[in-house]
Amino acid sequence: MKKILLPTDFSEQAEYALKVAASLAKQNNAEIYLMHMLELPSHLLSGDTNLNVPEQLLFMKIANERFEKTMEKEYMKDVTVHVTVESHKAFDGITEAIIQHDIDLVVMGSSGASGLKEMFIGSNTEKVVRTADAPVLVIKNDIDEFNVNNFVFASDFSEDQKLVFEQALDFANSFNAKLHLLYVNTPNRFASTAKTEKKMNDFIADFEIPNFEKHIYNDDTIEHGILNFSKSIDADLIGMSTHGRQGLAHFFNGSISEDLVNHAMRPVITFKI
């Protein structure tokens, strides 16, 4: 966690995320790449630079003034920050920055979504969660000092989850957190306790986990199970993998991780398989 990317639109939720990123940077001696994407009107990206330069400069000036105010915040003291303002569609700019700067963690704010907004529009946060190669930490609330004591890792504990679990375990260990390994049983995806316990034991046999508990939780859906269990132990963080499905595969299969990002009020971290 030496390079943290924080895309910002200067909203309240983005500031919540920045506070967490700053806290993580101080704890891990990391650098923050603070990025604002100027999603300019299409006529400003037409290529006729002679006409567009004055307006582009105005947008750039406003963004830099906002950055200056942000850097004056108390929580930004003693944090190394690289600031960039670019003219891209936000999602494209974020994915490019992850590769360009070899980012270890993306921290993003989100207000969540529901109903038609969630189905037809979605958010840049949701898109990044689905596709980013780096882990993505999503923050929705104001957290003064980000600390993780109880970390829920939800999984089906199949073989393809092991690389994801390594990342989650590293993250948990960086906080000396207790790791709660969670399998959610649902009516249409039911497995016996004995079978599930064996699967979980086989899964963790290759890992050294300092502090953990295993949980099998019954609920009507996987998402509800994760949310309800996390509430029952007052979890500080929920973690899980995302398959990065796109197009029709994503539409028909859905994504539990994206649903959690939209609906969980607790911090959520996702790791791409």
Side-chain angles (χ1 to χ4, degrees), residues 2 20-22 28 63 82 86 89 108 110 128 143 146 161-162 172 176-177 191-192 207 219 227 245 255 260 262:
K2 295 302 179 185
V20 169
N28 295 277
H82 306 276
E86 297 185 24
K89 288 188 175 179
M108 298 187 72
S110 175
V128 173
I143 303 172
F146 184 69
Q161 298 278 319
K162 285 194 172 181
N176 294 317
S192 68
F207 299 96
D219 216 318
L227 292 174
R245 294 189 180 103
S255 170
L260 277 173
N262 277 322

Side-chain angles (χ1 to χ4, degrees), residues 47-67:
D48 191 349
T49 54
N50 290 329
L51 293 177
N52 299 337
V53 165
E55 289 181 82
Q56 286 180 333
L57 289 176
L58 176 61
F59 281 110
M60 194 76 74
K61 181 174 181 291
I62 292 170
N64 283 319
E65 287 174 352
R66 287 180 168 181
F67 273 131

Side-chain angles (χ1 to χ4, degrees), residues 28-119:
N28 295 277
N29 194 26
E31 301 177 347
I32 294 178
Y33 289 78
L34 187 56
M35 182 178 67
H36 177 63
M37 308 309 301
L38 289 177
E39 293 193 86
L40 300 173
S42 59
H43 74 278
L44 293 183
L45 299 173
S46 64
D48 191 349
T49 54
N50 290 329
L51 293 177
N52 299 337
V53 165
E55 289 181 82
Q56 286 180 333
L57 289 176
L58 176 61
F59 281 110
M60 194 76 74
K61 181 174 181 291
I62 292 170
N64 283 319
E65 287 174 352
R66 287 180 168 181
F67 273 131
E68 287 177 10
K69 289 181 180 179
T70 297
M71 296 304 298
E72 292 171 359
K73 302 279 187 180
E74 182 68 26
Y75 59 81
M76 295 301 293
K77 285 185 177 179
D78 303 320
V79 179
T80 300
V81 181
H82 306 276
V83 171
T84 57
V85 183
E86 297 185 24
S87 301
H88 282 291
K89 288 188 175 179
F91 172 68
D92 294 336
I94 293 166
T95 54
E96 287 178 17
I98 292 171
I99 297 168
Q100 179 184 348
H101 301 297
D102 194 20
I103 295 298
D104 300 308
L105 176 70
V106 182
V107 183
M108 298 187 72
S110 175
S111 57
S114 60
L116 292 177
K117 181 181 177 184
E118 177 179 317
M119 184 177 295

Side-chain angles (χ1 to χ4, degrees), residues 177-188:
K178 184 172 188 177
L179 198 55
H180 296 266
L181 307 180
L182 176 65
Y183 182 95
V184 178
N185 244 337
T186 63
N188 61 356

Side-chain angles (χ1 to χ4, degrees), residues 206-233:
D206 297 330
F207 299 96
E208 289 187 14
I209 314 173
N211 188 8
F212 76 101
E213 286 184 7
K214 294 174 294 180
H215 306 271
I216 301 170
Y217 193 87
N218 300 321
D219 216 318
D220 55 346
T221 67
I222 295 174
E223 181 192 350
H224 289 165
I226 296 170
L227 292 174
N228 290 331
F229 172 78
S230 299
K231 181 179 180 181
S232 73
I233 65 163

